[in-house]
Amino acid sequence: MRLLRLFIPAALLFIASCSGDTDSAQDDSKTSATNPNAVEVTEGTPAETAKQIAEFVIANDNQGLMNLIITSEEMTDVITNSSVTPMGKEVAIKNIPTEISKMRVDYTNGLADIRKQCETAGVEWSNCKFKDARYEMNNPTGYFMAQIVCILECNGMEYKFTTTDVVQTKNGWRLGGSMMYGETK
């Protein structure tokens, strides 16, 4: 999984001594006994965030995605409480405004590309719903990150898109990387 771009300078300094714990693909969704097609998602998990992201993609709600991007304060908190070297923390914190600006552009472009790719495949958005999510979490430097694959169901067909570098903050899981059509590794 790619490291969160804001940590690239810090990660380069820290990478040699970094050994992250990785949890393999998770699935926090389950179906209801009364409605096997209903998706229930456990609160506070990457799957809950995946459901929000998917709903914003289906609704073509760019502002909704922008509201999920990690804030400067959250990013500062994550960096400050990480195990990155003091020099790496300083560099990463100085780069926060630039990195958040890049994320906004990447998510705007990602939303447009996902919608274009799905429409090219014949998706009718009014017939789409969030089906499931798969994710991998790791803890590279004292904070949890996830790469999430969101699965949409549209007219009985599945369509996937990937959201990278979703970061766990004290306010929940926040977007930190980018998103793109398909499933990436």
Side-chain angles (χ1 to χ4, degrees):
M1 179 187 331
R2 297 180 326 166
L3 284 176
L4 184 61
R5 287 181 300 188
L6 69 108
F7 288 113
I8 290 174
L12 292 174
L13 297 170
F14 191 75
I15 193 90
S17 63
C18 177
S19 66
D21 298 330
T22 301
D23 291 337
S24 60
Q26 303 280 327
D27 183 356
D28 289 322
S29 62
K30 52 190 173 223
T31 57
S32 165
T34 58
N35 183 358
N37 294 322
V39 175
E40 297 175 26
V41 178
T42 306
E43 187 175 338
T45 64
E48 176 188 39
T49 303
K51 185 175 182 182
Q52 291 175 322
I53 296 166
E55 289 170 352
F56 290 140
V57 168
I58 291 167
N60 199 21
D61 184 351
N62 191 55
Q63 187 56 50
L65 288 172
M66 296 301 107
N67 293 339
L68 290 178
I69 291 176
I70 192 167
T71 66
S72 294
E73 296 78 21
E74 290 167 332
M75 195 179 293
T76 300
D77 186 54
V78 168
I79 294 168
T80 301
N81 293 314
S82 74
S83 59
V84 174
T85 64
M87 188 164 108
K89 288 178 184 181
E90 183 180 331
V91 171
I93 289 170
K94 284 181 183 177
N95 287 324
I96 288 174
T98 302
E99 294 305 323
I100 289 177
S101 292
K102 287 179 185 176
M103 288 176 215
R104 290 182 162 295
V105 170
D106 288 346
Y107 275 96
T108 298
N109 292 340
L111 175 61
D113 184 56
I114 291 165
R115 291 194 51 95
K116 178 183 173 190
Q117 294 286 338
C118 285
E119 288 165 9
T120 299
V123 166
E124 172 57 45
W125 291 105
S126 63
N127 296 323
C128 285
K129 65 180 182 179
F130 171 73
K131 180 178 180 183
D132 201 0
R134 289 193 310 270
Y135 58 91
E136 288 184 23
M137 284 193 323
N138 72 30
N139 185 340
T141 55
Y143 57 92
F144 281 101
M145 289 179 36
Q147 177 168 298
I148 302 173
V149 176
C150 297
I151 305 167
L152 304 178
E153 183 177 316
C154 308
N155 293 331
M157 299 289 293
E158 287 186 0
Y159 299 89
K160 299 175 187 173
F161 65 91
T162 303
T163 305
T164 65
D165 304 330
V166 182
V167 182
Q168 186 177 37
T169 71
K170 64 183 177 187
N171 298 321
W173 290 90
R174 307 292 281 174
L175 303 180
S178 61
M179 66 182 197
M180 70 277 318
Y181 182 77
E183 186 171 1
T184 63
K185 289 278 178 182

